[in-house]
C-alpha cells in the first residue's frame, strides 16, 4: 500500500461504486469522507435516502462461474466486497441471476458504512471537485453542477451519461390469468412473464 494510512480520501457518491470504494479503503485503514447528495438533493430516479439505491434494476445479472459477470462477482466476493456480501444476504429467487430485495440491500450497505468508525458521512451536494485525494463515483445520476465541474478538468472533454429505469408494477395490477411463470434457459419459474402484442407494448 503506497498510500499514507493517515491520508483521508473523499469519495463522492454513495451508489454501488462509491460504497464499494469507501469500504475497500477503510478495510485498509484509510479514513474516508463519503459525500452523498441525498436527501438534500435527488434526481427524479431516486426514491430513498439509503446508499447503493438500485434505481434501474434489482438484478446483478448472471451468477454462474461459467460466464464473465458471474466470475467477476466471485472475484469481488474473494476481495471482501461489501456490495456482494449485502447482495448475497438479500438475495431473492431469480433463476440463474443474482437479484436482491432492493430495500434490504440498500439498508445493509447503508448500515455497514454509516456505522464504520473510519467513515465520516456528509449528506450534501458536492458542486466542485474537492481538494486532496478524491474518488468521483457519481455515475449517470451526477448533478448538473458537479457534471459541469468535472467537464472543466483539462483534457477530459464532454461527458455523456446514459441510463434507463425499469417500470415497477404492483402484483395486484396484473391479470394472473394471462401471465405465466418462467425463467430464461429453463432455470425455474422465478419470473412473471406478461405476453402482449406489439400494440399493447
Amino acid at each position: 500500500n503506497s498510500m499514507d494510512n493517515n491520508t483521508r480520501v473523499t469519495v463522492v457518491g454513495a451508489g454501488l461504486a462509491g460504497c464499494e470504494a469507501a469500504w475497500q479503503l477503510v478495510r485498509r485503514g484509510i479514513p474516508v469522507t463519503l459525500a452523498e447528495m441525498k436527501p438534500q438533493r435527488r434526481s427524479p430516479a431516486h426514491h430513498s435516502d439509503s446508499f447503493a439505491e438500485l434505481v434501474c434494476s434489482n438484478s446483478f445479472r448472471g451468477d454462474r462461474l461459467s460466464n464473465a459477470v458471474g466470475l467477476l462477482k466471485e472475484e469481488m466476493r474473494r476481495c471482501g466486497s461489501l456490495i456482494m456480501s449485502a447482495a448475497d444476504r438479500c438475495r431473492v429467487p431469480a433463476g440463474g441471476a443474482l437479484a436482491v430485495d432492493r430495500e434490504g440491500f440498500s439498508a445493509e450497505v447503508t448500515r455497514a458504512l454509516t456505522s464504520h468508525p473510519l467513515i465520516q458521512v456528509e449528506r450534501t451536494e458536492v458542486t466542485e471537485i474537492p481538494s486532496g485525494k478524491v474518488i468521483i463515483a457519481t455515475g449517470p445520476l451526477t448533478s448538473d453542477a458537479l457534471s459541469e465541474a468535472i467537464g472543466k478538468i483539462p483534457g477530459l472533454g464532454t461527458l455523456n451519461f446514459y441510463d434507463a429505469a425499469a417500470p415497477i408494477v404492483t402484483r395486484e395490477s396484473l391479470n394472473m390469468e394471462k401471465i405465466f411463470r418462467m425463467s430464461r434457459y429453463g432455470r425455474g419459474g422465478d419470473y412473471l412473464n406478461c405476453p402482449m402484442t406489439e400494440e399493447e407494448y
Side-chain angles (χ1 to χ4, degrees):
N1 183 3
S2 60
M3 264 184 144
D4 174 358
N5 280 358
N6 295 319
T7 302
R8 179 171 288 275
V9 176
T10 300
V11 177
V12 183
L16 297 177
C19 288
E20 189 64 45
W23 183 253
Q24 293 298 332
L25 287 165
V26 297
R27 284 186 68 225
R28 290 158 177 80
I30 300 166
V32 168
T33 297
L34 180 58
E36 170 55 47
M37 69 178 183
K38 297 185 306 181
Q40 184 189 84
R41 183 184 171 100
R42 56 180 69 204
S43 78
H46 289 122
H47 295 285
S48 140
D49 292 339
S50 297
F51 297 163
E53 181 184 4
L54 298 169
V55 296
C56 181
S57 169
N58 70 332
S59 173
F60 286 84
R61 299 183 56 206
D63 200 35
R64 297 178 187 272
L65 296 182
S66 55
N67 64 50
V69 292
L71 194 58
L72 176 61
K73 284 193 281 293
E74 181 57 26
E75 289 172 354
M76 288 177 68
R77 287 182 182 102
R78 293 184 186 201
C79 290
S81 167
L82 171 64
I83 296 300
M84 293 288 53
S85 64
D88 288 337
R89 282 195 299 276
C90 298
R91 186 176 198 138
V92 295
L98 171 59
V100 299
D101 172 309
R102 290 172 196 250
E103 291 176 10
F105 169 79
S106 293
E108 287 250 352
V109 173
T110 305
R111 201 165 30 247
L113 295 174
T114 55
S115 65
H116 198 286
L118 288 179
I119 295 180
Q120 174 185 326
V121 175
E122 291 185 358
R123 295 278 193 164
T124 183
E125 180 187 1
V126 173
T127 57
E128 296 290 337
I129 309 292
S131 59
K133 299 187 184 305
V134 180
I135 296 173
I136 304 288
T138 51
L141 300 180
T142 302
S143 70
D144 292 342
L146 184 57
S147 291
E148 199 174 307
I150 293 168
K152 290 178 185 171
I153 296 173
L156 197 59
T158 305
L159 296 171
N160 289 294
F161 291 128
Y162 299 94
D163 198 14
I168 298 173
V169 298
T170 62
R171 185 184 186 102
E172 296 76 30
S173 72
L174 301 174
N175 182 344
M176 300 307 285
E177 292 176 12
K178 293 184 176 182
I179 291 169
F180 61 96
R181 284 187 167 276
M182 185 182 289
S183 294
R184 287 191 295 178
Y185 315 117
R187 294 177 182 156
D190 296 329
Y191 291 92
L192 293 177
N193 293 263
C194 304
M196 56 186 88
T197 65
E198 185 175 353
E199 188 179 327
E200 287 169 334
Y201 177 78

